[in-house]
Amino acid sequence: MENVNLTGQFLVAMPAMTDPYFAKSVTFICEHNADGAMGIVINRPIDMTLQALFKQLNLPLSSTLTDKPVYFGGPVQLDRGFVLHQPLEDWDSTLSIDANTGLTTSKDILQAVAEGHIPEQFVVSLGYAGWSAGQLEQELAQNAWLTVEATPEQRNHLLFGLPAEEKVQATMALLGLDFARFAEEAGHA
């Protein structure tokens, strides 16, 4: 597990994961280095639409986006918005994940969306998943997560192209596994 960098990969919670924040979750790792890791849970829409979020922020919103869900990104900083988006552009506070994907935490991206400058693809979440130095590696060693690599096309499809309820199965399918059968078998080891 030394020097593993999972940036740009997915974590699928193993069936035995009982933590209510992460059970049956898919998390996209936005940054992973010696200081720790951070990611966004991509399959947990909350009971809020973009329209409701933008209303709270006093921003107008194009009618084409009003029903787009806001996601639970993880249990850290639940009062803060995180926008996972493509293409990568020059926002006030953006973490570059790869040449085309960024995670922006500054309000200027939401202001731009309100003004009609909408990224090609984006997901808005409240909160993020965070791990301190060595914590994620320890959880991986304890078999809490499956790591899943994806081609850029597969990654984009998982992040932006699928409904939330299909993301666990689709991510597992990249490993050739069926989540329901895997959960059954993992429970009878």
Side-chain angles (χ1 to χ4, degrees):
M1 278 292 158
E2 285 295 312
N3 301 321
V4 170
N5 183 345
L6 299 176
T7 301
Q9 294 186 36
F10 296 93
L11 298 181
V12 178
M14 290 291 282
M17 171 89 65
T18 57
D19 181 321
Y21 292 124
F22 297 109
K24 297 181 183 167
S25 71
V26 178
T27 303
F28 179 66
I29 300 298
C30 300
E31 184 175 46
H32 185 205
N33 56 39
D35 297 326
M38 70 100 49
I40 300 292
V41 176
I42 62 163
N43 67 324
R44 292 270 175 82
I46 61 174
D47 191 20
M48 178 184 279
T49 61
L50 279 187
Q51 181 175 26
L53 177 64
F54 276 59
K55 188 173 184 177
Q56 283 182 8
L57 298 171
N58 292 318
L59 292 172
L61 183 63
S62 160
S63 61
T64 60
L65 300 173
T66 55
D67 292 335
K68 192 171 173 84
V70 174
Y71 286 80
F72 165 78
V76 182
Q77 293 189 345
L78 283 167
D79 59 339
R80 190 159 178 202
F82 295 83
V83 182
L84 192 58
H85 59 87
Q86 291 182 344
L88 190 60
E89 292 187 39
D90 190 22
W91 305 105
D92 288 344
S93 182
T94 299
L95 170 66
S96 174
I97 299 165
D98 62 31
N100 195 39
T101 310
L103 180 68
T104 297
T105 58
S106 49
K107 191 176 175 183
D108 60 334
I109 191 171
L110 297 177
Q111 181 68 48
V113 168
E115 294 168 0
H117 179 68
I118 302 165
E120 286 175 34
Q121 305 186 87
F122 72 101
V123 172
V124 177
S125 70
L126 295 178
Y128 72 92
W131 293 266
S132 59
Q135 183 182 1
L136 180 55
E137 290 80 356
Q138 184 178 5
E139 290 179 16
L140 289 167
Q142 295 167 348
N143 293 319
W145 303 99
L146 275 176
T147 59
V148 182
E149 290 188 63
T151 65
E153 295 78 19
Q154 292 167 330
R155 183 171 52 192
N156 293 347
H157 183 63
L158 288 168
L159 291 174
F160 307 112
L162 283 177
E165 63 274 7
E166 295 177 20
K167 291 183 179 186
V168 170
Q169 182 57 42
T171 306
M172 295 288 287
L174 294 177
L175 296 175
L177 300 171
D178 176 297
F179 188 77
R181 292 185 67 202
F182 183 76
E184 225 172 75
E185 291 168 17
H188 299 91

